Amino acid sequence: MRRPTMDTDNLEQEEGLWDANDVARFLKASRSWVYQRAQAGQLPCVKIGGLLRFEPAAIRAFIRGQGTKIR
């Protein structure tokens, strides 16, 4: 069963943990980029069994912290 498309405006109001697809939509990045950064320890995540989940507040904090760095 396919999940309905999630509007990024609604992500601000969502409760609970996000999956890699949610984070990718929020950051406007690819899902593989999200997985690569999470596995490298560069993107905050929670591992539940074999699944990666992301706290929305931690992703927002990550963005604020990255906003001041230029590479």
Side-chain angles (χ1 to χ4, degrees):
M1 180 181 244
R2 189 176 170 147
R3 271 176 62 173
T5 304
M6 188 179 276
D7 184 356
T8 56
D9 292 336
N10 291 335
L11 284 175
E12 294 291 328
Q13 300 169 358
E14 288 292 318
E15 294 295 323
L17 298 174
W18 290 348
D19 64 16
N21 289 320
D22 297 329
V23 176
R25 275 188 222 105
F26 184 76
L27 297 178
K28 296 184 176 27
S30 69
R31 190 176 64 163
S32 63
W33 183 91
V34 171
Y35 279 121
Q36 288 170 354
R37 295 306 183 273
Q39 291 173 347
Q42 298 171 341
L43 190 64
C45 66
V46 177
K47 193 165 188 179
I48 303 172
L51 305 174
L52 288 181
R53 294 295 180 254
F54 303 84
E55 294 182 35
I59 298 302
R60 289 185 193 101
F62 169 80
I63 292 170
R64 285 191 298 273
Q66 294 296 312
T68 59
K69 296 179 184 176
I70 299 174
R71 290 184 183 197

